[in-house]
């Protein structure tokens, strides 16, 4: 083998190691960008809508998605170049972070639906209570009128 071939093999090995490090670093960044358990559990809101808005904000995974995308990009490049001797651990880590993000996104969507529904529900319940009060007032007036008519 010529010196040039040895240098190219050595350079490829270095590049493969750097690619693995990039994948691992992006996965670490993605994990770090995931919401903290306390952030989705604790709240300081005054009402349900405040709780839901805070929870929805806590469930934001945009940064984690971006970091996961970088990890997948470098992983795909390394895989296609056959640069990784053992890529199973990286693939498992990517799948794990991806599944976590999907779960959090589903929760985010559900909270978003509730956030949109709760104000409407409150309005409907208030309207129903007002209608019930109006009906009770009308019944009370009708009863009073009937008693007054009987008294005459």
């Amino acid at each position: 083998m010529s010196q040039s071939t040895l240098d190219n093999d050595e350079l490829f090995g270095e590049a493969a190691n750097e690619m693995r490090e990039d994948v691992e670093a992006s996965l670490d960044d993605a994990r770090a960008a995931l919401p903290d358990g306390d952030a989705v559990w604790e709240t300081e809101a005054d009402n349900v809508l405040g709780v839901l808005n805070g929870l929805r904000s806590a469930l934001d995974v945009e940064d984690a998605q971006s970091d996961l995308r970088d990890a997948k990009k470098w992983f795909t490049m390394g895989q296609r170049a056959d640069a990784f001797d053992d890529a199973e651990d990286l693939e498992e880590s990517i799948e794990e972070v991806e599944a976590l993000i999907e779960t959090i996104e589903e929760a985010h969507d559900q909270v978003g639906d509730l956030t949109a529904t709760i104000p409407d529900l409150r309005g409907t319940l208030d309207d129903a209570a007002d209608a019930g009060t109006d009906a009770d007032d009308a019944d009370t007036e009708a009863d009073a009128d009937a008693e007054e008519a009987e008294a005459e």
Side-chain angles (χ1 to χ4, degrees):
M1 258 198 214
S2 70
Q3 180 65 33
S4 175
T5 304
L6 288 175
D7 288 343
N8 287 341
D9 288 345
E10 187 177 310
L11 289 174
F12 185 80
E14 283 180 36
N17 287 337
E18 289 175 10
M19 216 174 286
R20 175 178 271 284
E21 289 171 6
D22 286 344
V23 172
E24 290 170 347
S26 292
L27 285 170
D28 288 343
D29 291 346
R31 283 186 191 99
L34 291 172
D36 181 64
D38 288 342
V40 299
W41 190 254
E42 297 177 4
T43 186
E44 295 181 18
D46 295 330
N47 58 43
V48 172
L49 189 57
V51 169
L52 290 172
N53 282 326
L55 180 56
R56 189 173 61 179
S57 294
L59 293 172
D60 180 24
V61 290
E62 263 186 53
D63 291 339
Q65 287 173 321
S66 177
D67 293 326
L68 177 62
R69 180 175 169 76
D70 286 343
K72 289 171 80 172
K73 175 176 57 177
W74 290 114
F75 177 76
T76 301
M77 291 259 309
Q79 239 185 351
R80 288 189 180 166
D82 200 24
F84 303 129
D85 291 332
D86 180 22
E88 290 174 7
D89 63 326
L90 292 177
E91 193 167 14
E92 287 173 9
S93 293
I94 287 171
E95 290 171 359
E96 175 187 304
V97 171
E98 195 168 35
L100 281 168
I101 289 174
E102 286 175 11
T103 300
I104 294 167
E105 284 178 318
E106 288 173 16
H108 183 272
D109 291 346
Q110 291 173 354
V111 171
D113 291 344
L114 277 173
T115 302
T117 303
I118 293 299
D120 291 339
L121 178 59
R122 180 182 181 196
T124 301
L125 291 171
D126 287 347
D127 291 346
D130 289 345
T133 301
D134 292 345
D136 288 345
D137 290 346
D139 287 344
T140 302
E141 280 183 39
D143 290 345
D145 289 344
E147 287 177 17
E148 191 176 302
E150 285 178 17
E152 289 178 4

